[in-house]
């Protein structure tokens, strides 16, 4: 009877004690979250209740397993498994706690600052820091698990002796990966590109959606994703439209006839911009920038608060100006001129020697005698 009750009491007691401690801890966190609603820390810490209970249960079982006298012939193997589970769950709990602290710090910073560029920069740094912390905790946990095996401890001396050679070999083999990792840290703390920035890479316009230690993802305007190594952004030029101030100036071109009413087009541009909510009201202008034998080029400058709005302003101005020209000034649209040339004053074509005397246009040649 004792052989049955002892394992039942030890294992059942560990599970019940774990559930009680976990319930009490969760209750305290809920009360703290309700009392301090200005910070999300306590609510985020509740996400770690599963690894927290797993650590408690595994630690209780590992400490009381010898008193349970259960599966004595596999005592070493069971103890080893419990140790591995304890290390893994502890690493999981550390990552959850670190994530809660980092997310709370970012949320508090974002609430206290209105500069969107600085908030995106901190968000990028926080994301990469969290990835580094997760990687470091994972490596330490795996190393601790391996050191629990006697064979690994015995091989430690030889591993340390050959660490220099292995480091050189690993560095050469993982040169590209290490370069990307250092480039990721450089991007995070060098403020070169941030999450949410509008960039142009290889002629593709999009928004930075994800940054890791090795790659960066850009979401294009047509919902495609371009993934490239982060080392690209430290070795090649690219356009960052969100760098500094997000305000932008856009250009709209038209090709019109030489008789187009430029002054009326300026007035119409002002009317269009006043009715466009995306225009920020900073500046506008319309000038003739080029002329060809058939048309002249008219350029309009418009402004907006960011890249999305400048696109809206440009397409609105282009469309409404063309519609207005078609309805009010159709003669101003570019066309192929098939009319006869306008005659000079008097209808006289100068002679080849430049004299004013010459025959009249369309005058039949004089023939006859004398």
């Amino acid at each position: 009877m004792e052989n049955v009750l002892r394992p039942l009491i030890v294992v059942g007691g560990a599970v019940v004690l774990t559930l009680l401690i976990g319930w009490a801890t969760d209750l305290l966190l809920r009360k703290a979250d309700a009392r301090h609603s200005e910070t999300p820390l306590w609510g985020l810490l509740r996400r770690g209740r599963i690894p927290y209970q797993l650590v408690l249960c595994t630690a209780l079982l590992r400490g009381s397993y010898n008193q349970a006298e259960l599966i004595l012939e596999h005592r070493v193997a069971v103890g080893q498994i419990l140790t591995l589970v304890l290390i893994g769950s502890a690493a999981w709990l550390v990552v959850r706690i670190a994530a809660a602290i980092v997310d709370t710090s970012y949320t508090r910073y974002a609430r206290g600052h209105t500069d969107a560029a600085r908030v995106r920069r901190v968000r990028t740094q926080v994301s990469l820091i969290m990835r580094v912390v997760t990687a470091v905790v994972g490596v330490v946990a795996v190393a601790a698990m391996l050191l629990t095996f006697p064979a690994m401890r015995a091989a430690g001396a030889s591993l340390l002796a050959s660490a220099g050679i292995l480091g050189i070999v690993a560095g050469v083999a993982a040169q590209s990966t290490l370069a990307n990792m250092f480039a990721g840290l450089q991007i995070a703390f060098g403020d070169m590109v941030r999450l949410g920035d509008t960039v142009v890479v290889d002629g593709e316009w999009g928004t930075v959606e994800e940054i890791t230690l090795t790659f960066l993802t850009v979401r294009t305007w047509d919902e495609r994703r371009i993934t490239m190594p982060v080392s690209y952004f430290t070795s090649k030029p690219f356009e960052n439209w969100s760098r500094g101030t997000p305000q932008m100036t856009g250009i709209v071109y038209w090709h019109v006839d030489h008789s187009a009413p430029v002054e009326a087009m300026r007035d119409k541009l002002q009317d269009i911009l006043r009715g466009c909510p995306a225009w920020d009201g900073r500046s506008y202008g319309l000038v003739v920038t080029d002329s060809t034998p058939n048309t002249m080029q008219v350029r309009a400058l418009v402004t907006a608060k960011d890249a999305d709005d400048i696109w809206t302003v440009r397409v609105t101005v282009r469309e409404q100006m063309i519609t207005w020209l078609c309805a009010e000034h159709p003669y101003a649209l570019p066309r192929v001129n098939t009319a006869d040339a306008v005659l000079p004053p008097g209808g006289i074509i100068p002679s080849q020697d430049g004299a004013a005397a010459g025959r009249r246009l369309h005058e039949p040649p004089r023939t006859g005698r004398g």
Side-chain angles (χ1 to χ4, degrees):
M1 188 68 178
E2 184 180 357
N3 294 333
V4 177
L5 290 178
R6 183 186 294 270
L8 186 61
I9 292 174
V10 172
V11 176
V15 173
V16 171
L17 189 58
T18 298
L19 294 176
L20 288 176
I21 296 176
W23 174 80
T25 305
D26 187 67
L27 181 62
L28 292 175
L29 290 177
R30 279 187 294 176
K31 289 184 177 181
D33 188 31
R35 183 178 303 175
H36 303 282
S37 57
E38 72 281 358
T39 175
L41 176 62
W42 309 109
L44 293 174
L45 286 176
R46 292 185 61 201
R47 298 179 182 179
R49 58 182 178 270
I50 294 179
Y52 174 67
Q53 293 179 358
L54 189 58
V55 168
L56 286 177
C57 185
T58 308
L60 291 173
L61 289 176
R62 184 67 182 88
S64 60
Y65 180 75
N66 292 331
Q67 285 74 26
E69 297 182 359
L70 182 65
I71 316 177
L72 297 177
E73 62 274 14
H74 300 290
R75 178 183 301 176
V76 177
V78 173
Q80 185 72 21
I81 293 174
L82 291 175
T83 302
L84 296 177
V85 174
L86 178 61
I87 295 174
S89 58
W92 186 9
L93 180 60
V94 169
V95 171
R96 285 296 179 88
I97 294 175
I101 296 175
V102 170
D103 289 345
T104 302
S105 302
Y106 168 73
T107 302
R108 186 176 300 173
Y109 183 87
R111 289 177 179 175
H113 292 76
T114 58
D115 189 352
R118 294 183 63 182
V119 172
R120 289 200 305 270
R121 180 183 64 185
V122 173
R123 179 185 173 191
T124 303
Q125 295 175 352
V126 164
S127 299
L128 291 179
I129 288 174
M130 195 60 225
R131 293 180 184 274
V132 171
V133 170
T134 303
V136 171
V137 172
V139 170
V140 172
V142 171
M145 290 180 181
L146 292 177
L147 290 177
T148 59
F149 295 93
M152 294 300 298
R153 290 198 299 267
S158 59
L159 289 175
L160 291 175
S162 59
I165 299 176
L166 290 177
I168 295 175
V169 174
V172 174
Q175 182 178 2
S176 177
T177 302
L178 292 175
N180 283 325
M181 291 182 63
F182 285 114
L185 294 175
Q186 184 178 353
I187 286 177
F189 297 98
D191 198 23
M192 300 173 59
V193 61
R194 298 154 299 197
L195 292 172
D197 279 2
T198 301
V199 297
V200 179
V201 182
D202 286 341
E204 295 285 352
W205 178 88
T207 304
V208 178
E209 187 177 54
E210 183 181 7
I211 300 177
T212 69
L213 290 177
T214 56
F215 68 88
L216 184 147
T217 302
V218 177
R219 178 172 56 86
T220 62
W221 64 273
D222 54 356
E223 302 299 331
R224 291 180 292 118
R225 266 70 175 178
I226 302 177
T227 301
M228 55 185 60
V230 292
S231 58
Y232 176 93
F233 292 86
T234 59
S235 59
K236 296 182 180 180
F238 65 95
E239 295 183 30
N240 188 344
W241 292 3
S242 302
R243 178 80 175 181
T245 172
Q247 297 174 344
M248 296 194 67
T249 299
I251 300 175
V252 182
Y253 286 106
W254 298 279
H255 290 274
V256 297
D257 190 77
H258 293 90
S259 59
V262 177
E263 194 63 35
M265 291 179 67
R266 290 192 180 99
D267 296 337
K268 183 60 180 178
L269 174 63
Q270 185 178 11
D271 295 339
I272 294 173
L273 291 176
R274 286 176 177 174
C276 181
W279 181 52
D280 62 358
R282 286 189 297 123
S283 177
Y284 74 95
L286 187 144
V287 294
V288 177
T289 56
D290 197 5
S291 178
T292 66
N294 297 321
T295 62
M296 64 179 179
Q297 185 184 69
V298 179
R299 184 194 69 186
L301 293 180
V302 293
T303 59
K305 65 181 178 63
D306 54 30
D308 292 335
D309 282 355
I310 199 65
W311 171 261
T312 303
V313 175
R314 289 175 61 195
V315 296
T316 301
V317 168
R318 185 183 296 112
E319 177 182 347
Q320 294 190 19
M321 184 66 75
I322 292 176
T323 302
W324 176 76
L325 288 175
C326 291
E328 303 293 335
H329 304 278
Y331 61 89
L333 300 176
R335 59 186 183 273
V336 178
N337 193 353
T338 59
D340 293 336
V342 178
L343 299 179
I348 303 298
I349 299 179
S351 61
Q352 293 182 356
D353 58 359
R359 67 180 181 88
R360 293 179 178 277
L361 289 175
H362 308 299
E363 180 182 352
R366 297 179 181 179
T367 58
R369 297 178 181 178

